[in-house]
Amino acid sequence: MPIDPICKREIPKTTPYITESEGKTYYFHDPECKKKFDDMAKNIVRVKRSLKDKEKISFSRLRKDIIKPGICAACGACPASCPSIIMEGEKPKLIGPCTACGICYNQCPRTITTEEGLIGRIRHPYAARSALKGVKGQDGGVVTAMLAYALDEGLIDCAIVTVRSRDDPWRPVPIIATTTDELLASAGSIYTHSMTIQALMNAVQQGMRSIAFVGPSCNIDAVYKIYKSPYGLLHMFMRANILPLGLFCMDTFSHEGIEDFVASKHLTLDDIESMKIRRGKIELEKDSETLVYDLSELDPYRSSSCKYCTDLTAENAAISFGGVGTPDGWTTVFTRSGRGYEIFNEAVEAGYIESRDLEEKEMARVLNLARMKKVQKYGVIRREK
Ligand SMILES: Cc1cc2nc3c(=O)[nH]c(=O)nc-3n(C[C@H](O)[C@H](O)[C@H](O)COP(=O)(O)OP(=O)(O)OC[C@H]3O[C@@H](n4cnc5c(N)ncnc54)[C@H](O)[C@@H]3O)c2cc1C
Ligand code: SF4
Ligand code: SF4
Ligand code: SF4
């Protein structure tokens, strides 16, 4: 026998209170239940219309991220917003068709869904690429081009960047770059933790006062704390002025792990000209040939700290840079602070960088990846009992 989606009673199909909605027939106990449902259905249709071009999110995402890990607070928002969901004890359960409208996921108090919740505060999003010749960047070479501008203009004394070790290929070495040549040599990504703060402290001790610093969110957060915390040396004694430039980051892998992985393909790290991780694959470039492997092959070598990291886009940076969202050869850029916004746009005006506004569909890709990273937060065990 059908169930009245409002009062949840079993109703005979002979009831005079019936509604047809989205190809399904609903049976009601009385006119009040029918009216409540009809009003709700009308609103759902309106919300769905506004969500038409947004990403599809079905109940299974809510089940996977929130219900299964036990994060559901049994607030009742999802059954209240969809006739296909009921509460079974304290657990929401899908009992009807799901059109993947995303309403239940977006209304749940336990999910992170707002733009600010996913990528932090931004001033303006861009797609950009270097307009300088000779920059062989990981994506659009924008980090390197912007640093070159800041150095040429005397806005910074140096930049803390990471280069590949000469003796041990692809081992990251943080350096204090004071010349354009050093910057050009640092372009490209190394997918292993780099101890950038050590180089930053060395630069401060050498008397550098205006310093650009490049790193993923874990590095940027260290700078933020050293700078802002009452225990922070930069804040208390040294008064250095740091421009934190963040890199989007999903994962890093141990150097030895990457070496073993490459050896398993009968290659050596010496052979590899560039590495790129995207869309679940790792691409290795050798003699201008691109070799593509499943990223899951690197799972055993993933840094354990990255499993607990929820910040894709370096939310505490002055500007953040990433590959996701934009086409090949472009960098996704989020200006965040006033200073970051000014310097980036000055570099554009001075002809170091070409830029355009980030399109909505490009931003949607960033938000999707950011959401994948934020859900790690749901998996962290916060209290034993
Ligand atoms: C470990 C890591 C993981 C990343 N994961 C993602 C991701 O999942 N999705 C995404 O969209 N983007 C990711 N990025 C960012 C992306 O690879 C590019 O760095 C970014 O798009 C900027 O490209 P670009 O061509 O403008 O920069 P470039 O001009 O090539 O400059 C890159 C800068 O990164 C610095 N750098 C390289 N390796 C490191 C390191 N290990 N630690 C600190 N600094 C480093 C270099 O010194 C250089 O200054 C990751 C970067 C790193 C380093
Ligand atoms: S609210 Fe939308 S996504 Fe959630 S179960 Fe109902 S139809 Fe599916
Ligand atoms: S909206 Fe979220 S917290 Fe509330 S009952 Fe549904 S899954 Fe649980
Ligand atoms: S995933 Fe997080 S912890 Fe790991 S390197 Fe990237 S920013 Fe740092």
Side-chain angles (χ1 to χ4, degrees), residues 328-385:
D328 265 6
W330 289 77
T331 305
T332 301
V333 180
F334 293 160
T335 54
R336 297 182 187 275
S337 71
R339 207 164 47 142
Y341 177 83
E342 292 300 333
I343 294 180
F344 174 77
N345 281 293
E346 277 175 28
V348 173
E349 274 169 33
Y352 284 70
I353 295 170
E354 176 193 339
S355 99
R356 60 167 171 80
D357 287 349
L358 196 72
E359 291 172 16
E360 213 174 300
K361 63 175 190 294
E362 294 173 326
M363 177 60 106
R365 288 185 210 123
V366 181
L367 294 175
N368 197 28
L369 193 65
R371 188 181 301 115
M372 279 169 66
K373 199 159 187 206
K374 287 284 178 204
V375 296
Q376 295 190 178
K377 206 174 210 160
Y378 307 150
V380 175
I381 299 166
R382 291 181 186 278
R383 209 163 43 197
E384 282 302 317
K385 286 200 173 144

Side-chain angles (χ1 to χ4, degrees), residues 62 66-67 71-79 87 90 92 104 107-110:
L62 188 70
I66 303 298
I67 302 168
I71 300 159
C72 165
C75 74
C78 55
M87 291 304 278
E90 290 204 339
C104 56
Q107 285 194 355
C108 173
R110 298 304 227 186

Side-chain angles (χ1 to χ4, degrees), residues 217-218 221 249-250 304-312 372-377 380:
S217 72
C218 51
D221 290 350
C249 181
M250 203 61 187
S304 63
S305 65
C306 302
K307 293 177 191 159
Y308 296 93
C309 178
T310 57
D311 180 355
L312 173 77
M372 279 169 66
K373 199 159 187 206
K374 287 284 178 204
V375 296
Q376 295 190 178
K377 206 174 210 160
V380 175

Side-chain angles (χ1 to χ4, degrees), residues 128-130 135-147 159-164 170 172-175 182-196 213-216 219 245-253 275-278 295 306 312-313 320-326 329-333 366 369 373:
R129 60 185 174 190
S130 167
V135 177
K136 204 169 177 296
Q138 182 72 9
D139 291 305
V142 180
V143 175
T144 304
M146 214 196 82
L147 291 174
I160 306 304
V161 291
T162 296
V163 296
R164 298 189 223 165
W170 287 96
V173 180
I175 62 157
E182 284 170 331
L183 288 178
L184 292 177
S186 75
S189 296
I190 303 169
Y191 294 105
T192 299
H193 281 305
S194 169
M195 274 189 239
T196 48
F213 173 93
V214 183
N219 292 198
L245 304 178
L247 304 173
F248 291 11
C249 181
M250 203 61 187
D251 282 305
T252 47
F253 305 89
M275 287 188 202
K276 190 161 203 139
I277 294 178
R278 57 179 163 183
L295 187 59
C306 302
L312 173 77
T313 61
S320 303
F321 305 85
V324 62
T326 37
W330 289 77
T331 305
T332 301
V333 180
V366 181
L369 193 65
K373 199 159 187 206

Side-chain angles (χ1 to χ4, degrees), residues 274-292:
S274 76
M275 287 188 202
K276 190 161 203 139
I277 294 178
R278 57 179 163 183
R279 297 182 203 106
K281 306 277 181 206
I282 177 159
E283 302 171 3
L284 306 179
E285 206 174 299
K286 176 185 175 272
D287 301 330
S288 303
E289 186 194 355
T290 307
L291 307 161
V292 184

Side-chain angles (χ1 to χ4, degrees), residues 75-114:
C75 74
C78 55
S81 54
C82 179
S84 293
I85 306 173
I86 58 159
M87 291 304 278
E88 197 172 67
E90 290 204 339
K91 274 196 180 168
K93 186 179 172 194
L94 190 71
I95 53 154
C98 173
T99 58
C101 68
I103 291 176
C104 56
Y105 193 89
N106 279 285
Q107 285 194 355
C108 173
R110 298 304 227 186
T111 57
I112 301 168
T113 53
T114 62

